[in-house]
Amino acid sequence: MESPSIRSICCIGAGYVGGPTMAVIADRCPAIQVTVVDLNAERIAAWNDADLSQLPVYEPGLDGVVGRARGRNLHFSTAVEEAIAAADMVFISVNTPTKTKGLGAGQASDLKWVEASARTVAQAAQGHTIVVEKSTLPVRTAAVIQEILASAEGGKSFAVLSNPEFLAEGTAVPDLEAPDRVLIGGDDPGAIAALAAIYGQWVPAERILTTNLWSSELSKLTANAFLAQRISSINGIAAFCEATGADVREVAKAIGADSRIGPKFLQAGPGFGGSCFQKDILNLVYLCRHYGLEEVAAYWEQVVTLNTWQQHRIARLVVNKLFGTVSGKRIGVLGFAFKADTNDTRESPAIRICKDLLEEGAILQILDPKVSERQIALDLGQAAGDGSWQHVADVHQAASGADALLLLTEWQAFAQIDWPAVAAVMRQPAWLFDARAKADGGAALAAGLQVWTVGEGIKP
Ligand code: UDX
Ligand code: ADP
């Protein structure tokens, strides 16, 4: 059943969340015109590129969805005000990074882009507009948006909803097409029904949950905090396994078989990255402190502390195994994205680990199938020390003359490395450090490498 009221949607922010989410809405609701706007003209041009392999966000299946809807009822534009004026519903899907300066620096989210968006909506909207928070936001941000909208002049009216996005990068399209749940928070029944009717085009009604605004905002932070907590938990146990001869994959399988724990998100690795987990936990920590809940804040803060520790631990381990120094030694880095199947490097564990190794003077040969050299340069820009790095095109080049290969992103291609050929171009004695347990460690060992695997330790 089509919602009677919504004919035109505008989404402010054509990023990792706004782009794929709106593409799927447009694909599933052909009667609704969806316009995604952004101030970044280069990004909009890339979304409009005739060559669908050039979309600014790499997500498996996204090219197909965009290809079907673009030009029909999906549009990408820099005409922000115009699109807002034409819309019955405006999604705010802009970036909300951790503040780097001023009050709450290092923990609180910087809401300047959200505030700017709300002001633009207040000024450009026409008639009645439903404003939907899509970006992950601190609890009670909707109150800020409501207050700004309330200042709008000229007989306009607004309803504010919270509709947090739970998609994960790399699986954005399937996550959007078959979500575990859609969460809509708000206090205006008509607005909630209008948004629920949009999702109702393809999501079963029992998966569309409605709550009050604050529960919806907090549920997003809590979901990310719980997921990140599982990763820090298993990474802590991984270090313990390495010290004791247990194998973290066996432990994860054994505990994951308990239906109360479940098998997902128990993959030990180099620590979590991505734009959400660290930011959202720090935000939760900041808010807990704000409300005087010091013990709760300290509890969640530890999840981030352990994550950072895991990254430094892996860099230290590499240095230790290479006889205590990597100065002037070549190390092939396999993977730079924060996880497989994405070109996103935000908070990627590879950044901290590579910086540590550069500080120790290493020469890094970095390979990632989707991350550009330009992005790596931005991420490693301020690395200290006299190490250096280069972007390489294949595993052979990454291994060439190297004392070690360090696997940091679980790209499927890294499971199929021809180890005898790779070992032949490395300097002996050579190592494989597999921080994702992705490579065929047995084959690397058979080819003469020494092999360390996260949560398992050194292969005998
Ligand atoms: C996450 C949430 O999953 C998603 O619901 C939310 O909307 C945004 O944040 P995302 O950051 O895209 O999504 O990816 P996710 O798959 O959750 O992975 C985050 C990080 O955790 C990655 O660095 C990944 O490699 C790591 N991870 C994940 C592990 O180390 N082990 C695991 O078992 C799972
Ligand atoms: P996310 O992962 O949350 O989608 P991104 O950084 O990928 O975050 O995308 C957010 C987008 O929002 C960026 O492309 C940025 O240019 C855009 N943006 C930020 N503020 C505004 C604004 N006031 N008007 C339009 N677009 C904006």
Side-chain angles (χ1 to χ4, degrees), residues 351-414:
I351 299 173
R352 188 169 279 128
I353 295 171
C354 287
K355 281 187 172 175
D356 282 2
L357 294 171
L358 290 171
E359 206 174 324
E360 296 276 348
I363 303 165
L364 304 179
Q365 304 178 149
I366 305 175
L367 168 68
D368 191 287
K370 288 287 171 195
V371 179
S372 66
E373 180 168 5
R374 179 175 153 208
Q375 187 58 49
I376 298 171
L378 285 171
D379 291 329
L380 296 181
Q382 299 94 26
D386 53 6
S388 63
W389 64 273
Q390 67 188 99
H391 185 237
V392 298
D394 57 39
V395 177
H396 185 88
Q397 287 178 20
S400 192
D403 289 9
L405 284 172
L406 172 56
L407 194 160
L408 294 179
T409 312
E410 72 284 20
W411 288 102
Q412 189 51 34
F414 299 150

Side-chain angles (χ1 to χ4, degrees), residues 184-401:
I184 302 176
D187 50 22
D188 179 325
I192 292 172
L195 184 54
I198 292 173
Y199 285 109
Q201 296 291 306
W202 77 96
V203 179
E206 66 276 13
R207 294 200 177 188
I208 302 178
L209 312 181
T210 56
T211 65
N212 77 32
L213 269 172
W214 323 124
S215 302
S216 172
E217 289 180 336
L218 184 55
S219 296
K220 171 72 194 224
L221 292 187
T222 307
N224 279 345
F226 269 60
L227 290 168
Q229 181 199 41
R230 279 174 77 96
I231 300 170
S232 279
S233 298
I234 202 69
N235 283 342
I237 297 298
F240 193 42
C241 287
E242 291 164 30
T244 54
D247 180 334
V248 79
R249 267 158 303 284
E250 292 177 353
V251 174
K253 192 172 175 194
I255 65 166
D258 185 326
S259 61
R260 293 168 303 175
I261 297 175
K264 294 183 181 166
F265 260 70
L266 290 177
Q267 180 72 43
F272 54 78
S275 69
C276 282
F277 284 172
Q278 175 166 313
K279 177 188 80 173
D280 288 352
I281 294 181
L282 292 177
N283 205 331
L284 190 63
V285 167
Y286 181 75
L287 290 168
C288 289
R289 292 227 159 93
H290 172 80
Y291 289 106
L293 302 169
E294 177 52 40
E295 285 73 11
V296 185
Y299 174 76
W300 287 109
E301 198 165 30
Q302 194 58 27
V303 172
V304 174
T305 304
L306 199 118
N307 195 53
T308 308
W309 172 80
Q310 174 78 341
Q311 295 168 11
H312 290 309
R313 177 175 90 85
I314 288 171
R316 268 199 311 270
L317 183 126
V318 171
V319 175
N320 281 333
K321 295 299 170 210
L322 298 182
F323 310 115
T325 176
V326 294
S327 180
K329 293 181 181 169
R330 292 179 186 277
I331 299 175
V333 175
L334 304 182
F336 200 81
F338 81 95
K339 59 188 261 192
D341 292 323
T342 177
N343 59 345
D344 194 349
T345 62
R346 287 179 291 178
E347 304 295 339
S348 177
I351 299 173
R352 188 169 279 128
I353 295 171
C354 287
K355 281 187 172 175
D356 282 2
L357 294 171
L358 290 171
E359 206 174 324
E360 296 276 348
I363 303 165
L364 304 179
Q365 304 178 149
I366 305 175
L367 168 68
D368 191 287
K370 288 287 171 195
V371 179
S372 66
E373 180 168 5
R374 179 175 153 208
Q375 187 58 49
I376 298 171
L378 285 171
D379 291 329
L380 296 181
Q382 299 94 26
D386 53 6
S388 63
W389 64 273
Q390 67 188 99
H391 185 237
V392 298
D394 57 39
V395 177
H396 185 88
Q397 287 178 20
S400 192

Side-chain angles (χ1 to χ4, degrees), residues 12-17 38-40 43 93-95 113 117 346:
I12 307 177
Y16 282 90
V17 173
D38 204 297
L39 298 172
N40 182 337
R43 209 166 214 191
S93 189
V94 298
N95 34 327
W113 293 275
S117 303
R346 287 179 291 178

